[in-house]
Amino acid sequence: MSLSAEIRPFFDEPTNTITYLVFDPETRQAAVIDPVLDYDPASGEVDTRSVAAVLAEADRLALNVRWALETHVHADHLSGAPYIKAKTGAQIGIGERITDVQRIFRPIFNASDLVADGGDFDRLLADGDRLPLGELEIEVIHTPGHTPADVSYRIGDAVFVGDTLFMPDYGTARTDFPGGDARQLYRSIRRLLALPAETQLFMCHDYKAPGRDEYAWETTVGDQMLHNVHVSDRVTEDDFVAMRTTRDATLSAPKLLLPSIQVNMRAGRLPPAEANGVRYLMIPVKEREGSL
């Protein structure tokens, strides 16, 4: 059995997200990891051009797309998974702890249409689950911390880490969203860094660390162990938690946080139309004391 999948990255600069088209070169079976649906918050328009480009490449390569996999409920872009499913019949998968995320956010968005059982997704994935991809397998690794539901996907000698790690010069993901936990994130990262040093790690995002001119999204376990500015092999769990907690307190909310969460917790499904036939995204308003 081959250990190597073919990988095609697609970088979406407006959201700094990398979508991956991953396939077995022998059987042409493919998965799309973290697909992006284009969304303009100023106009409210959604567009499928980014995810359509991924599927156009799959068609060019004569691939059979079987899976649309999410590493977690993203807070910075809307998911294009439903478009992939509609065009290819692929199943949408996410970590089974999505139900925790749905229970947290359902009341925040008054999402009365949502049943917090993960039923919008085709597959709820547990740690250690394995999905077929031709002659390869997709191994599910539960990597909570950023959110309770985060998973990474190991395919041959490559791991798609979602929002656990960034490039070594940028560090690690925030843990201040509801259900996030810096201690859990540290342990999840240590689990990934226990893999062989030559294991390839593929990031979900890149923001170009200060001093770096180009975007980048591929590194190795060995490189992360030696050089990650937040969690190299010299950083203890307590030191990491202190750093992460302090840093998170300075971060602003992602620009697309509110639209992204309410769409992505529904597996990319938009909220149902109101009586006038229009779909609406909710924006909860928080009043500061004395502001009104």
Side-chain angles (χ1 to χ4, degrees):
M1 179 182 295
S2 170
L3 286 177
S4 296
E6 294 285 338
I7 300 166
R8 300 288 188 273
F10 296 79
F11 182 67
D12 180 61
E13 190 163 9
T15 65
N16 296 91
T17 303
I18 304 95
T19 296
Y20 295 98
L21 176 64
V22 187
F23 62 95
D24 172 22
E26 299 299 322
T27 66
R28 319 305 285 178
Q29 299 284 308
V32 179
I33 299 175
D34 292 332
V36 172
L37 180 70
D38 302 290
Y39 170 68
D40 177 13
S43 67
E45 292 181 340
V46 296
D47 191 279
T48 59
R49 62 186 182 277
S50 291
V51 69
V54 178
L55 292 184
E57 179 69 359
D59 286 344
R60 187 185 73 81
L61 295 170
L63 304 180
N64 176 14
V65 179
R66 295 196 57 189
W67 304 103
L69 300 177
E70 304 285 4
T71 54
H72 63 294
V73 171
H74 303 274
D76 39 39
H77 69 270
L78 278 61
S79 171
Y83 183 81
I84 293 175
K85 180 177 180 178
K87 293 296 185 180
T88 69
Q91 291 193 320
I92 302 174
I94 199 169
E96 64 180 355
R97 295 282 302 278
I98 177 60
T99 55
D100 294 346
V101 177
Q102 290 174 326
R103 280 192 290 269
I104 291 168
F105 285 102
R106 182 180 185 272
I108 293 174
F109 294 109
N110 195 29
S112 58
D113 64 294
L114 178 69
V115 179
D117 63 358
D120 280 308
F121 298 84
D122 299 304
R123 291 289 296 269
L124 300 185
L125 303 169
D127 186 57
D129 279 354
R130 294 176 182 270
L131 304 175
L133 191 70
E135 295 183 2
L136 300 173
E137 283 186 324
I138 305 170
E139 178 188 356
V140 179
I141 304 172
H142 185 213
T143 47
H146 177 61
T147 80
D150 278 61
V151 294
S152 299
Y153 297 107
R154 186 181 188 185
I155 307 174
D157 53 5
V159 182
F160 301 86
V161 301
D163 280 16
T164 54
L165 287 162
F166 296 131
M167 291 299 288
D169 57 0
Y170 203 87
T172 58
R174 65 195 297 168
T175 60
D176 59 328
F177 296 148
D181 187 293
R183 212 165 284 279
Q184 276 192 334
L185 182 62
Y186 181 88
R187 295 171 185 176
S188 294
I189 291 170
R190 285 293 171 224
R191 186 177 180 194
L192 293 175
L193 298 187
L195 295 170
E198 65 274 14
T199 303
Q200 297 173 295
L201 302 179
F202 291 87
M203 312 297 106
C204 182
H205 298 286
D206 187 59
Y207 304 96
K208 286 198 293 192
R212 175 154 53 87
D213 295 329
E214 302 293 332
Y215 289 109
W217 45 79
E218 180 180 351
T219 181
T220 65
V221 165
D223 198 27
Q224 292 279 10
M225 285 286 289
L226 289 174
H227 302 300
N228 189 286
V229 295
H230 291 168
V231 70
S232 70
D233 60 359
R234 299 177 297 278
V235 177
T236 69
E237 181 173 322
D238 287 343
D239 287 343
F240 176 79
V241 171
M243 177 282 301
R244 192 68 263 174
T245 303
T246 300
R247 179 174 172 80
D248 288 348
T250 70
L251 300 177
S252 58
K255 181 176 66 174
L256 296 183
L257 172 69
L258 296 176
S260 296
I261 293 293
Q262 57 191 299
V263 170
N264 295 340
M265 71 179 181
R266 295 175 166 98
R269 175 173 63 86
L270 297 174
E274 300 290 340
N276 61 357
V278 179
R279 300 177 189 271
Y280 293 92
L281 295 172
M282 302 287 287
I283 302 178
V285 177
K286 298 180 181 179
E287 297 179 19
R288 290 185 178 176
E289 186 176 351
S291 62
L292 294 176

